[in-house]
Coordinates of all heavy atoms in Angstrom, one line a residue:
V26 N 102.2 33.7 214.7 CA 101.6 32.7 215.7 C 100.6 33.5 216.7 O 99.6 32.9 216.9 CB 102.8 32.2 216.4 CG1 102.5 31.6 217.8 CG2 103.7 31.3 215.6
E44 N 115.7 28.7 221.8 CA 115.4 29.7 222.9 C 114.2 30.7 222.5 O 113.3 31.0 223.3 CB 116.6 30.6 223.2 CG 116.5 31.6 224.3 CD 117.8 32.4 224.7 OE1 118.8 31.9 223.9 OE2 117.7 33.4 225.4
T45 N 114.4 31.3 221.3 CA 113.4 32.1 220.9 C 112.1 31.4 220.6 O 110.9 32.0 220.9 CB 113.8 33.0 219.6 OG1 114.0 31.9 218.5 CG2 115.0 33.8 219.8
L46 N 112.1 30.3 220.1 CA 110.9 29.5 219.8 C 110.2 29.2 221.1 O 108.9 29.4 221.2 CB 111.2 28.2 219.1 CG 110.2 27.2 218.9 CD1 109.1 27.6 218.0 CD2 110.8 25.9 218.4
N47 N 110.8 28.7 222.1 CA 110.2 28.4 223.3 C 109.6 29.6 224.0 O 108.6 29.5 224.7 CB 111.1 27.6 224.3 CG 111.7 26.2 223.8 OD1 110.9 25.6 223.1 ND2 112.8 25.9 224.2
A48 N 110.3 30.7 223.9 CA 109.7 32.0 224.5 C 108.4 32.3 223.7 O 107.5 32.8 224.4 CB 110.7 33.2 224.2
V49 N 108.3 32.2 222.4 CA 107.1 32.6 221.7 C 106.0 31.5 222.1 O 104.9 31.9 222.5 CB 107.4 32.4 220.2 CG1 106.0 32.4 219.5 CG2 108.2 33.4 219.6
A50 N 106.4 30.2 222.2 CA 105.3 29.1 222.6 C 104.9 29.4 224.1 O 103.7 29.2 224.3 CB 106.0 27.8 222.5
A51 N 105.7 29.8 225.0 CA 105.3 30.1 226.3 C 104.4 31.1 226.6 O 103.6 31.1 227.5 CB 106.6 30.2 227.2
A52 N 104.3 32.0 225.6 CA 103.5 33.2 225.7 C 102.2 33.0 225.3 O 101.3 33.7 225.5 CB 104.1 34.4 224.9
Q53 N 101.9 31.7 224.7 CA 100.4 31.2 224.3 C 99.9 30.2 225.1 O 100.7 29.5 225.8 CB 100.6 30.9 222.9 CG 101.2 31.9 221.9 CD 100.4 33.2 221.8 OE1 99.2 33.1 221.9 NE2 101.2 34.3 221.6
P54 N 98.6 30.0 225.0 CA 98.0 29.0 225.8 C 98.5 27.7 225.3 O 98.7 27.2 224.2 CB 96.5 29.0 225.4 CG 96.3 30.5 225.0 CD 97.6 30.8 224.3
A55 N 98.9 26.7 226.2 CA 99.7 25.5 225.8 C 98.8 24.5 225.0 O 99.3 23.8 224.1 CB 100.0 24.7 227.3
V58 N 99.2 25.7 221.0 CA 100.4 25.8 220.3 C 101.2 24.8 220.5 O 101.2 24.0 221.6 CB 101.1 27.1 220.8 CG1 101.5 27.0 222.2 CG2 102.4 27.4 220.0
A60 N 105.4 23.6 219.6 CA 106.6 24.1 219.2 C 107.4 23.0 218.7 O 107.6 22.0 219.2 CB 107.4 24.7 220.3

Side-chain angles (χ1 to χ4, degrees):
V26 169
E44 182 178 355
T45 56
L46 174 65
N47 291 334
V49 169
Q53 303 302 324
V58 65

